[in-house]
Amino acid sequence: MPAAKVMARGKMRMNKALFDRLLEHVGFSAHDATVLAEFHPRIAPAFPDMAASFYKHQLQDHITRRVLHDDAQVKRLMRSMQQWLSELFLAPRDEAYLQRRLRIGVMHVEVGLLPDFVFTAMADMRGGLRRRVGALGVESARKEACLVALDRSLDLELALITGSQHEVDRYRDMVDVAPEMIHGVDREGRFVFINRTEELRLGRDRHDLLGTQLEALVLPEDRQILRDHFDRVFSMGSSSCEVRMRTVAGEVMYAEILAVARRDGVSGEFTVSRAYVRDITERRRVERELRESQSLARLGAMAAVVAHEVRNPLAGISGAVQIIGEALPTDAPERAIVREIVERIAALNGAVNDMLLYARPRLPKPAPLALRRLAGDVIALARADRGFGSSGVHLEGEDVVCLADAELLKPVLLNLLVNAAQAKPGGAIRVATGTADGFGFLSVEDDGPGIPDSLRERVFVPFFTTKHQGSGLGLSIAKRLVDAHQGSIRIERAASGGARIVVALPLATGS
Ligand code: HEM
């Protein structure tokens, strides 16, 4: 069912006494009704033209055009407008008429049309009708009576349509300022209203969102969950689900959607799903951190055992193998095997150390630290590292003093340099230091293939690796240590297309 059709099923209330007072106020009498009914057959042939030019005009206006979505809707509206014009001349001003008029106001609010546009549209309509009545070859006293009746009838229409629009607006204002996010969607999953709280949280103009699919804001992986939720809402009348939505700032919001469907007063079908949306991002973050810290605690306990049961024997084995190696004749081919064994043991030992560092890092002892000097020292260390190979390193940027623990940052930077060297063996690495956004930074950039956007978050997940060697902990350790400094680490695409890892650290006061 089209968006606008489904949204205005709620009955507006206006008591009959008030309606009668309004009829009296505009002066609409039984005589007026008779005069209009008498003119109907003469004026009705002009209705299709009037309706067509009305919407042609609305489509030319850049604001009113926004509530008109497609040809089918405009065709439907033209039929409704002809019907409305007929009723203007023929309808008994009874309770059913009152409800139909109030409903027009509600529909206008639902599509986001301001009452001002109805005022001007009604003035145009009045002018058009007056011209057509004036052009009829009818005795002038009869014409005058018709024009008077028409004016009263249009005054009544305006009062009812814009009055209900104002009333719905007041209700809408209350919904708008509610602390919860509230929206409505039709059976096709398109927004039919959005409150201000949700508009602000999503960071999008609600007028741009009206008529668009809620699904488009949901992460592709969660869209099926949303579709199943809609199936339940529109078949059973209520449902809840949890999906992740993307805000305009690119942030992911965990949203709990609690929806209740409203029935169409005529067909009895569920047509609009009204939903409260709870932002549970913070709850999910705390839960995730708790899970992580629990698994870290388990990993820590395991690492301690591994350290004891594996590291110490490894050191013994390595020492023993080296002694055996040295006892071999200098040209014995077995010496290469011994070297290989010692290297493998060193790698194993490195993996155990990584695990310990990740699971049980010591707290940083921050002190003023010149980043450029640190970078220079670590570059010298890296050149001596066997995994580093023949890459060239260029250090640039102003020196900047941060508050950081040099001993904890050295392995971080060393790891970044070795990663950069492995991204393109023999390539060029640029290390830069400087300040940005109130933080000191140190960046390491390679000219390798870069890291695809889809992996940018995942590379910080423990044991995630795209390489054949290594524990898969390097970047997670880096993140953990940098986070412990109240800093941040992020991945960017370098101008060369390679990866650029930026470590931001708090500046030392006064630097
Ligand atoms: C003389 C002033 C107006 C009158 C008498 C009027 C009349 C109506 C009527 C009879 C309906 C259908 C209600 C129903 O189906 O129950 C409607 C709905 C609607 N009107 Fe108006 N209207 C007026 C001004 C406007 C203006 C200026 C616009 C701007 C484009 C507009 C856009 C709409 C829209 C988008 C709907 C929702 C209908 C749908 O999509 O199916 N209206 N109006």
Side-chain angles (χ1 to χ4, degrees), residues 163-454:
S164 79
Q165 220 163 322
H166 282 304
E167 188 165 331
V168 176
D169 265 348
R170 271 201 296 279
Y171 162 75
R172 192 56 65 79
D173 285 348
M174 280 163 54
V175 171
D176 248 7
V177 296
E180 293 86 14
M181 290 181 268
I182 301 173
H183 70 231
V185 294
D186 64 15
R187 289 186 76 100
E188 275 81 41
R190 291 179 300 206
F191 281 112
V192 291
F193 69 84
I194 302 160
N195 78 342
R196 179 104 183 103
T197 313
E198 183 157 351
E199 180 183 40
L200 288 175
R201 180 68 181 92
L202 294 175
R204 293 172 201 249
D205 185 329
R206 67 180 117 178
H207 293 105
D208 294 340
L209 286 178
L210 287 173
T212 68
Q213 301 276 342
L214 163 62
E215 191 179 297
L217 303 180
V218 170
L219 297 196
E221 308 89 278
D222 290 357
R223 289 185 182 161
Q224 192 53 48
I225 300 176
L226 187 73
R227 284 176 213 140
D228 294 344
H229 160 80
F230 283 147
D231 283 350
R232 288 193 300 274
V233 180
F234 290 115
S235 60
M236 299 190 294
S238 67
S239 167
S240 63
C241 73
E242 183 184 324
V243 288
R244 287 163 300 168
M245 294 169 81
R246 176 125 3 235
T247 69
V248 96
E251 175 202 344
V252 171
M253 171 175 89
Y254 286 73
E256 186 177 47
I257 303 182
L258 309 156
V260 178
R262 282 189 53 192
R263 281 185 196 278
D264 181 302
V266 183
S267 68
E269 263 184 46
F270 289 120
T271 48
V272 182
S273 157
R274 299 197 153 191
Y276 280 97
V277 181
R278 271 198 214 130
D279 179 357
I280 53 167
T281 314
E282 184 58 17
R283 197 206 301 170
R284 288 287 171 262
R285 190 187 61 76
V286 171
E287 284 169 0
R288 199 173 48 243
E289 279 184 9
L290 192 68
R291 265 199 314 276
E292 275 173 17
S293 68
Q294 282 168 345
S295 53
L296 271 177
R298 277 197 295 274
L299 187 65
M302 194 182 89
V305 173
V306 171
H308 185 255
E309 300 292 326
V310 178
R311 206 158 60 153
N312 299 347
L314 273 185
I317 296 170
S318 178
V321 171
Q322 282 178 57
I323 293 169
I324 295 171
E326 275 154 23
L328 288 169
T330 33
D331 57 348
E334 288 80 5
R335 273 193 171 240
I337 300 173
V338 168
R339 246 194 331 272
E340 178 82 356
I341 295 173
V342 172
E343 271 169 25
R344 295 277 172 100
I345 291 173
L348 255 175
N349 201 42
V352 174
N353 283 343
D354 276 1
M355 215 148 67
L356 272 176
L357 194 58
Y358 181 70
R360 294 189 158 179
R362 70 167 170 77
L363 282 178
K365 293 190 193 106
L369 176 68
L371 289 191
R372 208 184 144 102
R373 168 115 49 87
L374 173 85
D377 291 351
V378 180
I379 290 169
L381 270 176
R383 287 201 170 108
D385 192 300
R386 263 181 39 82
F388 190 73
S390 59
S391 299
V393 190
H394 174 73
L395 174 61
E396 64 192 23
E398 52 169 321
D399 201 1
V400 42
V401 181
C402 286
L403 263 190
D405 184 325
E407 289 317 304
L408 287 185
L409 283 185
K410 273 183 191 165
V412 170
L413 183 53
L414 184 62
N415 182 267
L416 297 184
L417 285 166
V418 172
N419 278 354
Q422 288 171 351
K424 185 176 174 193
I429 301 172
R430 282 157 59 121
V431 178
T433 56
T435 50
D437 304 325
F439 279 79
F441 76 83
L442 195 157
S443 64
V444 177
E445 183 178 319
D446 63 57
D447 55 356
I451 297 175
D453 289 354
S454 56

Side-chain angles (χ1 to χ4, degrees), residues 116-158:
D116 312 27
F117 293 95
V118 177
F119 271 106
T120 45
M122 196 66 88
D124 285 351
M125 197 54 101
R126 193 186 296 257
L129 282 164
R130 290 184 73 92
R131 269 195 306 282
R132 285 176 198 263
V133 171
L136 293 174
V138 183
E139 185 210 330
S140 62
R142 295 303 303 148
K143 264 197 234 175
E144 193 46 42
C146 176
L147 290 176
V148 169
L150 203 53
D151 271 345
R152 290 173 178 161
S153 176
L154 287 168
D155 286 348
L156 183 66
E157 294 284 339
L158 194 60

Side-chain angles (χ1 to χ4, degrees), residues 4-5 58 64 67 73 76-77 84 103-104 107-108 113:
K5 274 274 165 202
Q58 307 308 334
T64 44
V67 303
Q73 183 203 20
R76 197 171 58 242
L77 276 166
W84 175 79
R103 178 182 138 125
I104 297 176
M107 283 189 101
H108 285 161
L113 186 73

